[in-house]
Amino acid sequence: MPDSGVDRTEDLRIEETLPEEYVKKDEEEAEEDHLAPSRWWFSSTLFPLVAGTFGPLATAFNICALVMDWRVIVSSASTEAEGTDIRDPKWLDAVNAISLVIAVLANLALLAHMFDRLPFAVSQLATIIGWYTSSFLLIGLVAAAPAHLPLPAGENRTFSQAYYYAILSAVLYFILSSMLVVTSLGVYIGRYSRNYKLSFSQRTLMVQTIAFIGYILAAAAVYSRIEGWDYLDAVYWTDVTILTIGFGDYSPKTHLGRGLLFPMAIGGILFLGLIIASIRTLVLARSTKKVTTRMVEKARQKALKNLDTKDGTVRLSVFRKRDIGKNLSSELDRREQEFNIMREVQKKAANDNRIIALSISAGAWIFLWFIGAVVFWQAEQGYGNWSYFESLYFTYVSLLTIGYGDFYPQDNSAKPAFVLWSLIALPTLTVLIGAIGDSISEGVGTLTLWLGKHLPKKTSAMADLKDNASKAAGSAYQQAKPPGFMSNGSGDDADFDNKAEADAVKGLSQDMEESNAGDDPTQHDANAAGKHYRHYLLMKEMKNVVQHTDASPPRKYTYAEWTWFLKLLGEDESSSDQHRTPGNVQIAEETGDTHGNAQAGATERNGEVQAWSWLGPKSPLMSSIDEPKWVLERLMSTLEKELKERGDEHVGRKPKEPPNMQGQRNSGESS
């Protein structure tokens, strides 16, 4: 078996040859680029998006660290929430306020760049330096607090929630700044452009987060005033209320507080639902799409690495070995075998992606549950004296928003930790449950499609079930290939709207078969019909393909259907002139010949069609967009081009020659 060195060397080759192209791509193209490593997309898209989402949260915690004093005196008969505050020195308030102002300016700089109001260099520098400065200022205050904030002798002192909010804020600032440093480094070495590869909807996620955090802080200020709570206790209560946990340790006691709860709770829940929906559709769905396309590319590279051109086989896994059609006499049969191998590559990548997604989901669940339990177990050692199992029980009840109220945070360190944990854990769990639901829904759709195609009609009950399954599948799964194509012209004329259409299909399929037309006048009529009714067939097929674009699960065409579409696009699957073999693709990738791996329908500068392969990196099956959308786009482009050429011929306008052809003609004239 030849050693192609496709795995790591392939990544290095891609990194050396593609940065320039990746830099020029917009957010959609960057997401769909399966050749660019996923880490490029994560650095240029996901890191700025996370920074824009959690930056306002870090600033909110900074506000919480400023509005309350950092020290509390607690008697042995009361809880920490009932302690007496000790006024902080002015220098602590001043440094704390400076860190907040700098962080707010850093957030505004990041937001300004996301909406193209500030250059990348200025925005990135201001945001990174601002957040790092705020982080170091808060870290300095937290480190100095135990030694420089003395308490009266003999008193039981402790730190308030504000102190722990300062710690959380400093940690978030530092992490987010470091992520943006990675993004800036990628820009500096030329991996991606100076503009974040974010769609407009993704950029609005930061605005949504700012509004949501502002809503929590404002509601806490109102209820702190109405109910007489400490402001940070009101922040904790607002968080527990909007997340629908409801421990019951705090609840409105006044008529005004209970009356305002009606609009406040529903407004907060709607805000939360909006952000969760945005995270799911704008972040997870897009990152999953990027990872999926990259995994298909990795699986394709691995298949080529395991290609044995001498035996004419390719090993897809330890127990799966496929013939690449080396000994097949027909080019059409060889291409079909190549197509089927690529389908198996897609299937393997999809299974691997499903396993990885489930592993990540399980890992997130375990981390949020078990690690969260460790945090609250340690935080509640003073007052609640929780065991680890009790803390595990508490985090489970909180994750599922059950909230019995038998356990709830009481320590000043536990409440800020719970606010941060809950704002991350509960939306994450909701998104994961939604993703599992989508997978189940897709499985049901696939089963329905399978029943519609394969269920036997041996009994009336079976027949009814098959009919219902076929109706549920709908027109999105009807055969795209017309009758008679690739069937020796055996389609019945009654299957078509008119005889001319039937002849046109027969004309297009004639050179796909091994039969000889000879001097048969009917065959010549079919050829003429195929030529003159070509644009009619293009329009009709576009109308049919539009119905496939909304199929769920996404429509995947058979090889016969792809052969029909490619024939309409002017390519002949039975002709080897426009095709590359898997062995040639392997050689091209080993040598870094990106020109040797063309996409379907691509042309040279002289107008000739480039050779391509179903196993090539730019195969139609490697596109990240759904197959019906790919086909529809190409059909429309072909029709547009041919109609323009026909119009140019009609008005006598000379078509524009390719640049190199013009050069050849000019040099010939001068000679």
Side-chain angles (χ1 to χ4, degrees), residues 18 55 103 105 108 251 285 344 601 605:
L18 290 184
L105 294 176
L108 292 176
S251 60
E344 291 198 54
R605 293 177 66 86

Side-chain angles (χ1 to χ4, degrees), residues 343-412:
R343 279 291 190 222
E344 291 198 54
V345 168
Q346 286 182 314
K347 184 177 180 181
K348 181 180 184 302
N351 290 335
D352 292 345
N353 185 51
R354 192 174 296 111
I355 292 173
I356 291 176
L358 290 176
S359 300
I360 292 176
S361 300
W365 172 273
I366 292 173
F367 180 84
L368 293 171
W369 183 14
F370 287 86
I371 304 303
V374 171
V375 172
F376 297 114
W377 170 44
Q378 293 299 314
E380 290 294 337
Q381 286 296 307
Y383 281 88
N385 195 24
W386 293 359
S387 66
Y388 180 69
F389 178 79
E390 290 173 333
S391 181
L392 203 65
Y393 164 80
F394 163 75
T395 51
Y396 185 82
V397 169
S398 301
L399 265 175
L400 299 182
T401 67
I402 299 173
Y404 290 124
D406 47 349
F407 288 89
Y408 53 85
Q410 300 180 58
D411 191 271
N412 281 344

Side-chain angles (χ1 to χ4, degrees), residues 109-185:
L110 181 62
L111 184 64
H113 176 66
M114 284 194 171
F115 289 94
D116 299 325
R117 295 294 185 270
L118 203 62
F120 174 85
V122 176
S123 168
Q124 204 76 343
L125 190 64
T127 304
I128 293 174
I129 293 179
W131 279 348
Y132 269 138
T133 302
S134 295
S135 176
F136 292 144
L137 287 175
L138 290 175
I139 290 174
L141 290 179
V142 168
H148 294 82
L149 297 180
L151 290 170
E155 298 286 354
N156 182 21
R157 64 130 191 202
T158 187
F159 288 109
S160 70
Q161 295 182 52
Y163 174 80
Y164 296 102
Y165 273 115
I167 296 175
L168 296 178
S169 180
V171 171
L172 286 176
Y173 283 146
F174 186 86
I175 293 174
L176 299 178
S177 300
S178 301
M179 294 175 71
L180 291 184
V181 167
V182 174
T183 301
S184 300
L185 181 62

Side-chain angles (χ1 to χ4, degrees), residues 485-663:
F485 184 74
M486 292 181 65
S487 304
N488 295 318
S490 59
D492 192 346
D493 290 353
D495 296 327
F496 298 92
D497 294 339
N498 52 67
K499 186 177 186 304
E501 181 184 353
D503 289 340
V505 173
K506 293 176 183 178
L508 289 175
S509 65
Q510 179 178 327
D511 55 358
M512 303 291 296
E513 309 299 333
E514 297 179 357
S515 58
N516 274 323
D519 295 327
D520 187 351
T522 59
Q523 296 292 347
H524 292 293
D525 291 342
N527 288 338
K531 178 180 179 181
H532 295 297
Y533 281 86
R534 173 177 168 74
H535 293 161
Y536 166 75
L537 292 176
L538 280 170
M539 289 292 295
K540 185 170 183 179
E541 203 56 51
M542 285 161 53
K543 180 181 177 181
N544 293 334
V545 173
V546 166
Q547 301 179 56
H548 306 161
T549 56
D550 295 328
S552 181
R555 176 71 180 265
K556 292 185 179 297
Y557 293 120
T558 64
Y559 178 70
E561 290 172 324
W562 269 110
T563 304
W564 165 246
F565 292 136
L566 290 172
K567 190 65 178 178
L568 288 176
L569 295 174
E571 295 202 24
D572 191 345
E573 278 291 280
S574 64
S575 173
S576 61
D577 296 339
Q578 301 170 1
H579 301 157
R580 296 179 69 87
T581 64
N584 290 335
V585 174
Q586 183 190 55
I587 294 173
E589 298 199 1
E590 287 178 355
T591 58
D593 180 15
T594 57
H595 177 76
N597 288 327
Q599 63 180 354
T603 58
E604 303 276 4
R605 293 177 66 86
N606 59 8
E608 295 182 1
V609 177
Q610 294 185 26
W612 62 281
S613 168
W614 286 109
L615 281 170
K618 297 182 180 180
S619 158
L621 300 186
M622 286 299 300
S623 175
S624 61
I625 62 176
D626 295 338
E627 294 179 18
K629 294 179 181 178
W630 190 97
V631 171
L632 183 62
E633 179 183 338
R634 297 309 191 279
L635 290 174
M636 293 174 67
S637 298
T638 300
L639 181 61
E640 177 185 10
K641 177 183 176 182
E642 294 185 3
L643 288 178
K644 183 180 183 304
E645 290 176 352
R646 176 167 293 188
D648 289 342
E649 292 177 3
H650 181 72
V651 300
R653 183 178 300 163
K654 197 171 183 179
K656 186 177 180 181
E657 294 180 353
N660 62 334
M661 293 295 291
Q662 292 179 4

Side-chain angles (χ1 to χ4, degrees), residues 44-54 114 180 198 201-203 205-206 282-283:
S44 63
T45 301
L46 193 60
F47 282 6
L49 195 58
V50 171
T53 303
F54 282 90
M114 284 194 171
L180 291 184
L198 301 174
S201 299
Q202 289 174 325
R203 296 169 195 266
L205 183 59
M206 184 175 182
L282 303 179
V283 183

